Amino acid sequence: MTVGAETMSAVDRSRPPILRAGLIWTLVRTDFKARYHGTLGGFVWALLKPMSMFVVLMGVFSFLFASNPTYKLNLIVGLFLWDFFAEGTKSGLTSLHARGYLLTKARVPPWILVVTSISNAVITLAVFSLVIMIFLISAGHPPTGQALAVIVIGFSLGSSVLFLRFRDLNQVWDVVVQAGFFVAPIIYPLGILPERFHFYLYIWPPTPVIEFSRAALVAGVMPTTTGHVYLAADAACCLAAGMLIYRRLSPRAAEHL
Amino acid sequence: MTLITVDAVSKAFWIPTVRRDTIREHLFGMLQPRRFHRLQALDSVSFEVRDGETLGIMGRNGSGKSTLLKILCGIYPPDRGRVERRAAVTPILDLGVGWNPELDAVDNVFLIGSVMGLSLGEIRRSMDAILGFAELQEFANLKLAHYSSGMSSRLAYAVAFHAVRDVLVLDEIFAVGDAGFRQRCEERYRDLHAQGHTVLLVSHDPRTVTSFCDRALLLDHGRIVMEGPAREIADRYVSTLTKRISD
């Protein structure tokens, strides 16, 4: 293991485990238990949050977009994907700080703590995917949660190590997420905005994922090759940027706790 | 056989005159540049740890002992130098703090045990023994938020003692719990030593170092000032302290 400067090194010939399945499972299980008190009833709260938003927004905006027959489905797909994005990035950002007590106790790869921190958001999204699949029998294509998961992991890796240096990053991100909810076309169809603005909205990573999912799930139309490439590139850029920051800053993460 | 080689390891921390931990503080402080004070925690430290030996590390507060242990365990990277580990290292550091208060003792044992490298099967099989060692069987399902600091520390030592692989690294051991618990820790430690485990032990207590260690190092301002038999190092450490007090 060589970290940073040429003159420093730590050689480890003691079978360092790269992927520790037991640790990953324990982190996911205990995180779920701590958050929902280990009950299924507790987990229902996680689903109720986007569901209640859906009921309120549908009640208000379905009048506005009464002519759009797929508005409700588009809204629910958008809301659950957004909930995954918002919850996943918020948990990921604070993950190393929140689990810092493990980093200073033993040699543990920090990325395991970051990636497992978004497990709760993944579970919620998986349950939603199951439910929406039942409703959308004709859909035929899986949701593009994978691309969003890559974006969330990329963001979490980078922001978790930055948060150890900038402890108000979570507050800044809260503001961004709040504004970002309206930048992404969740409660309104993208079509109501002039086309010249679409490009700017697509820069915000959740937008292409939500639009892609709606096309595949609700409209039953497979997006174009360009759409696939754009989505893959978007996710890859987020992951690469996050990994770059993580690689540079994570070796000294324990020193900032 | 040499299990751990520490070769010319140096580590410095840059301590700012004003601490800035937030984006806001960095933005508002842009016009007021701060200075950094370099704290040389370790300065070209070299030594080896052989298979089966117990090495004591002594030194005053701030001499670099804890930083050295963290580098040995792979928690901190060194700035310069080389650390070579040829065996799995189990650290017992900072155990008084750092549990998930929302989880009960059993889940926390799973969490800390798996971080320390135990498999889930090993943790399940050792659970009764761990809770018994810490005398916490009847509080196994109580959230850690309701534990006293002594109970948390006892649990931490119990997990760590069951997680030992090849090399055990201890920071200020036996400073926890009542006399009975300390005695159980000492017995467990002697068992591990008898089984041939290699041990690195940091302590301020000359009695601990002389009774448990074969060899010791004395650190001062990040440098090894003396290396030799444990008793000689402990005597030198005590005389250094006494001299400082009389000065």
Side-chain angles (χ1 to χ4, degrees):
Chain A
M1 180 177 76
T2 305
V3 193
E6 286 174 10
T7 47
M8 71 187 195
S9 68
V11 182
D12 206 322
R13 294 176 184 161
S14 58
R15 58 178 176 78
I18 301 298
L19 191 69
R20 292 158 65 168
L23 174 61
I24 292 173
W25 168 247
T26 306
L27 285 167
V28 170
R29 190 179 62 81
T30 51
D31 198 33
F32 184 87
K33 202 168 176 178
R35 200 172 295 212
Y36 306 121
H37 305 284
T39 63
L40 272 178
F43 179 62
V44 169
W45 288 111
L47 292 172
L48 272 180
K49 196 177 155 198
M51 279 308 291
S52 59
M53 276 282 275
F54 170 69
V55 171
V56 172
L57 292 173
M58 189 186 70
V60 177
F61 288 97
S62 57
F63 290 107
L64 199 62
F65 301 107
S67 59
N68 187 343
T70 56
Y71 178 76
K72 288 175 195 171
L73 286 174
N74 277 332
L75 180 64
I76 198 164
V77 169
L79 274 179
F80 266 90
L81 285 172
W82 175 261
D83 189 63
F84 168 70
F85 176 75
E87 289 300 315
T89 51
K90 282 179 192 173
S91 306
L93 193 149
T94 54
S95 58
L96 282 185
H97 183 250
R99 290 160 160 189
Y101 62 93
L102 297 174
L103 266 188
T104 53
K105 265 203 172 61
R107 193 160 45 107
V108 50
W111 69 264
I112 290 184
L113 305 181
V114 179
V115 174
T116 53
S117 74
I118 66 164
S119 59
N120 272 300
V122 170
I123 293 169
T124 314
L125 187 71
V127 171
F128 160 71
S129 302
L130 215 72
V131 173
I132 199 101
M133 279 298 173
I134 295 164
F135 281 111
L136 299 166
I137 304 159
S138 60
H141 296 287
T144 41
Q146 301 96 320
L148 199 57
V150 171
I151 291 170
V152 171
I153 288 172
F155 174 86
S156 300
L157 284 172
S159 63
S160 62
V161 286
L162 284 172
F163 182 61
L164 299 179
R165 288 164 168 79
F166 305 105
R167 296 295 170 90
D168 55 353
L169 200 56
N170 57 338
Q171 290 162 20
V172 174
W173 187 243
D174 278 347
V175 174
V176 173
V177 165
Q178 199 168 31
F181 178 75
F182 298 99
V183 173
I186 296 166
I187 55 170
Y188 57 91
L190 191 62
I192 65 165
L193 292 176
E195 203 158 335
R196 65 177 187 278
F197 291 123
H198 290 193
F199 172 78
Y200 300 105
L201 263 62
Y202 267 90
I203 293 174
W204 180 225
T207 304
V209 180
I210 289 169
E211 284 300 294
F212 198 102
S213 294
R214 283 171 172 170
L217 283 169
V218 182
V221 179
M222 206 54 195
T224 60
T225 313
T226 318
H228 277 86
V229 170
Y230 182 82
L231 190 67
D234 193 37
C237 283
C238 288
L239 185 64
M243 284 172 71
L244 205 72
I245 297 170
Y246 173 84
R247 210 177 141 78
R248 186 159 172 76
L249 300 181
S250 69
R252 292 182 188 275
E255 294 171 29
H256 289 269
L257 285 163
Chain B
M1 187 181 128
T2 304
L3 288 190
I4 296 176
T5 304
V6 177
D7 183 19
V9 163
S10 295
K11 179 81 179 173
F13 294 103
W14 290 91
I15 313 293
T17 47
V18 182
R19 207 179 151 90
R20 289 176 190 152
D21 287 330
T22 62
I23 297 171
R24 184 182 58 80
E25 285 166 352
H26 278 278
L27 284 176
F28 284 107
M30 276 166 77
L31 298 175
Q32 295 167 304
R34 54 188 177 156
R35 286 195 304 276
F36 285 85
H37 168 67
R38 184 183 161 92
L39 178 73
Q40 191 71 43
L42 291 174
D43 190 1
S44 201
V45 170
S46 300
F47 64 93
E48 288 184 341
V49 185
R50 290 185 292 274
D51 193 8
E53 81 166 330
T54 300
L55 178 71
I57 301 172
M58 300 193 84
R60 293 182 305 119
N61 285 340
S63 60
K65 303 184 299 294
S66 295
T67 305
L68 178 59
L69 288 197
K70 283 185 171 146
I71 290 176
L72 279 176
C73 299
I75 294 168
Y76 286 178
D79 289 345
R80 285 199 313 278
R82 192 172 60 94
V83 177
E84 200 168 327
R85 291 182 283 266
R86 295 182 193 85
V89 176
T90 304
I92 304 189
L93 317 169
D94 296 334
L95 288 185
V97 290
W99 295 96
N100 188 331
E102 290 305 311
L103 296 173
D104 62 22
V106 172
D107 281 325
N108 268 298
V109 168
F110 269 104
L111 200 55
I112 304 293
S114 51
V115 163
M116 288 189 162
L118 288 176
S119 71
L120 296 184
E122 285 172 323
I123 299 171
R124 262 185 229 109
R125 284 192 295 277
S126 311
M127 187 60 77
D128 287 343
I130 290 171
L131 293 170
F133 188 88
E135 291 182 320
L136 291 168
Q137 297 100 322
E138 56 185 311
F139 303 111
N141 297 314
L142 185 68
K143 280 186 184 180
L144 263 286
H146 306 300
Y147 270 42
S148 70
S149 58
M151 288 160 85
S152 304
S153 301
R154 280 189 346 240
L155 190 61
Y157 273 94
V159 178
F161 270 135
H162 281 82
V164 177
R165 294 285 186 204
D166 306 316
V167 181
L168 176 62
V169 174
L170 301 160
D171 194 358
E172 287 300 346
I173 192 201
F174 315 139
V176 164
D178 54 21
F181 182 73
R182 280 205 295 276
Q183 193 181 346
R184 276 206 305 289
C185 281
E186 290 189 13
E187 281 166 12
R188 176 73 181 143
Y189 166 79
R190 286 185 202 284
D191 283 349
L192 290 168
H193 190 42
Q195 288 164 20
H197 287 283
T198 305
V199 182
L200 266 86
L201 176 70
V202 157
S203 182
H204 286 288
D205 181 13
R207 189 193 69 86
T208 305
V209 172
T210 47
S211 56
F212 289 109
C213 302
D214 312 312
R215 199 161 63 89
L217 312 171
L218 182 61
L219 277 179
D220 191 30
H221 291 97
R223 301 182 77 99
I224 296 178
V225 291
M226 192 178 169
E227 187 175 352
R231 182 167 295 281
E232 285 179 24
I233 301 297
D235 289 346
R236 169 76 176 270
Y237 175 64
V238 172
S239 65
T240 312
L241 283 183
T242 318
K243 188 169 177 291
R244 278 179 199 278
I245 292 166
S246 60
D247 286 349

